[in-house]
Amino acid sequence: MAAPKVAVVGAGVVGLSTALCIAETCPSCSVTVLSDQFSPNTTSDVAAGMLIPHTYPGIPIHVQKQWFKETFTYLFAISNSAEASEAGIHLVSGWQVFKNTPKEELPFWSDVVLGFRSMSEAELQKFPQHQFGQAFTTLKCDCPPYLLWLEKRLKATGIQISTRKVADLWELHSEYNIVVNCAGIGAQQLVGDEKLFPVRGQVLKVHAPWVKNFIRDGDGLTYIYPGIHRVTLGGTREKENWSLSPDPGTTKDIFDRCCSLEPSLRGAQDIKVKVGLRPSRQSVRLEREVLSQGGVKLPVVHNYGHGAGGFSVHRGTAKEAARLVGECIAALQGSSSRARL
Ligand code: FAD
């Protein structure tokens, strides 16, 4: 069989990192990224990009932990390299605070992030409305820089990048041997997945360079995440809401909530409002499928539905998707050698 031709649909953090992993694990493959939108117009561009995992109810915890660990290890190496600034990857320390002590004091990812510990009484004095807290150091991906860095890596590896809206995965069968679906919330229409739904998130990106530590309320709704240039203030989680228009009332509410955690934010300037739709599901869809029409087959690998945690696990799920592409190639090679006999 000639060099397998692989199309990756989607150019968010999942599509770009999956294309890169496929090229790394299968250097003989010819990989093309097809997407209707690129940075800065994807959901991934809106995200804060913090490595604090979201829990997927439909996936065993040891698998989620493995995805997170692989992502953390990969980005930690970048953060310690000369690429860190261009890639927008940096370490950030801070606090997750709770109004009531959580049932699970030790989250499953506590030994993956750095220096995880309970907050001291002295630290908790900063948060008079909270009675328990966790301090740790994690990583943050600033977007768009991280997506642009991934795109640059893809081009340097010889991967083609092309603007195209795919109406149906089958339309790619005559041009590609394998298709990888990384369409985020677009997968609902692309493959008719009714288990996939949007969770709308509105955030503010502000100029407040004195804020150096992250602060996250344990309910996950209010957060302050400092990036290299701007601080992300959040947020909202609105299930089944498809609106991409910023809501001024929500903007004020987010700002007030964040100021009650960090009063100095009243002095923040240049407030920009962003909205994104988290591609949410009980579990990430990460599996093989074979489409077939009239005896013609098209192997597909799905990798979408990362919800509120796409940045936290993207490298781990990309590696698994690349492994599944390897299985598809082996199956294609097996059937083409059987056909020659
Ligand atoms: P996307 O970024 O949406 O990319 C999908 C791609 O597919 C796009 O390029 C799109 O154009 C393309 N596409 C779709 N349909 C088609 C089609 N038919 N044909 C061609 N192309 C198509 N996660 C974290 O881990 N940490 C955080 O701190 C964090 N903060 C967040 C804050 C907010 C406000 C939001 C909204 C999300 C946040 N997330 C966070 C979640 C994270 O953003 C998502 O999990 C992640 O971006 C999903 O990436 P994706 O590549 O699957 O989707």
Side-chain angles (χ1 to χ4, degrees):
M1 183 188 171
K5 294 176 88 178
V6 182
V8 176
V9 180
V13 69
V14 174
L16 297 179
S17 54
T18 299
L20 193 57
C21 279
I22 295 168
E24 284 167 2
T25 53
C26 176
S28 66
C29 287
S30 154
V31 183
T32 305
V33 174
L34 304 172
S35 191
D36 59 346
Q37 297 290 342
F38 290 85
S39 181
N41 300 317
T42 70
T43 302
S44 301
D45 287 281
V46 175
M50 282 289 283
L51 266 72
I52 301 179
H54 155 83
T55 304
Y56 303 99
I59 297 181
I61 288 295
H62 74 273
V63 174
Q64 301 188 44
K65 184 167 179 176
Q66 179 67 18
W67 291 346
F68 180 55
K69 205 171 172 176
E70 284 171 351
T71 307
F72 197 94
T73 304
Y74 177 72
L75 294 176
F76 188 46
I78 299 174
S79 79
N80 287 313
S81 76
E83 301 271 300
S85 160
E86 189 189 345
I89 308 296
H90 59 106
L91 286 165
V92 56
S93 299
W95 305 285
Q96 171 157 255
V97 291
F98 297 81
K99 295 203 172 79
N100 299 300
T101 307
K103 271 193 234 126
E104 194 189 40
E105 283 191 30
L106 220 51
F108 72 83
W109 42 265
S110 59
D111 59 349
V112 179
V113 297
L114 309 177
F116 186 96
R117 61 177 172 79
S118 294
M119 282 167 70
S120 67
E121 285 301 321
E123 283 170 307
L124 275 168
Q125 277 176 16
K126 181 173 165 62
F127 306 100
Q129 294 164 4
H130 296 76
Q131 54 162 269
F132 177 81
Q134 299 155 339
F136 55 94
T137 298
T138 189
L139 287 151
K140 182 176 178 315
C141 309
D142 275 13
C143 268
Y146 183 52
L147 296 184
L148 296 176
W149 181 83
L150 282 171
E151 277 185 31
K152 196 170 151 188
R153 291 283 301 260
L154 294 182
K155 286 177 188 154
T157 319
I159 293 173
Q160 307 289 314
I161 297 184
S162 172
T163 303
R164 172 164 169 183
K165 184 168 174 77
V166 179
D168 181 341
L169 295 180
W170 186 255
E171 79 185 41
L172 302 173
H173 83 274
S174 56
E175 297 162 76
Y176 299 96
N177 304 109
I178 300 162
V179 172
V180 187
N181 171 15
C182 302
I185 195 64
Q188 200 199 56
Q189 209 183 3
L190 185 60
V191 294
D193 185 344
E194 289 178 2
K195 293 184 187 154
L196 183 68
F197 56 91
V199 175
R200 180 182 182 278
Q202 182 165 323
V203 287
L204 320 182
K205 308 261 176 175
V206 307
H207 185 68
W210 61 90
V211 176
K212 301 290 184 202
N213 293 305
F214 75 81
I215 304 171
R216 180 180 199 264
D217 194 303
D219 66 11
L221 211 57
T222 305
Y223 50 81
I224 298 162
Y225 292 148
I228 296 172
H229 301 294
R230 301 182 73 83
V231 184
T232 304
L233 310 183
T236 64
R237 288 188 180 195
E238 300 156 72
K239 209 172 159 180
E240 298 287 2
N241 185 338
W242 287 90
S243 170
L244 284 170
S245 306
D247 175 72
T250 305
T251 298
K252 182 178 179 316
D253 179 51
I254 292 171
F255 192 68
D256 289 346
R257 278 189 274 130
C258 289
C259 288
S260 81
L261 278 178
E262 178 53 68
S264 72
L265 281 169
R266 289 272 167 221
Q269 290 182 335
D270 191 20
I271 299 172
K272 294 201 164 60
V273 188
K274 303 265 180 193
V275 177
L277 304 178
R278 300 176 181 92
S280 300
R281 247 176 146 263
Q282 285 283 99
S283 47
V284 177
R285 186 172 183 203
L286 188 43
E287 62 184 7
R288 285 169 63 188
E289 184 185 16
V290 178
L291 303 181
S292 109
Q293 278 186 31
V296 181
K297 291 187 172 159
L298 176 66
V300 170
V301 173
H302 298 284
N303 185 14
Y304 67 84
H306 295 67
F311 278 85
S312 306
V313 296
H314 70 277
R315 179 73 189 184
T317 59
K319 277 179 79 172
E320 175 61 9
R323 195 188 65 76
L324 294 175
V325 167
E327 285 184 5
C328 296
I329 293 169
L332 286 173
Q333 283 168 340
S335 57
S336 71
S337 54
R338 271 194 303 279
R340 278 200 303 275
L341 289 175

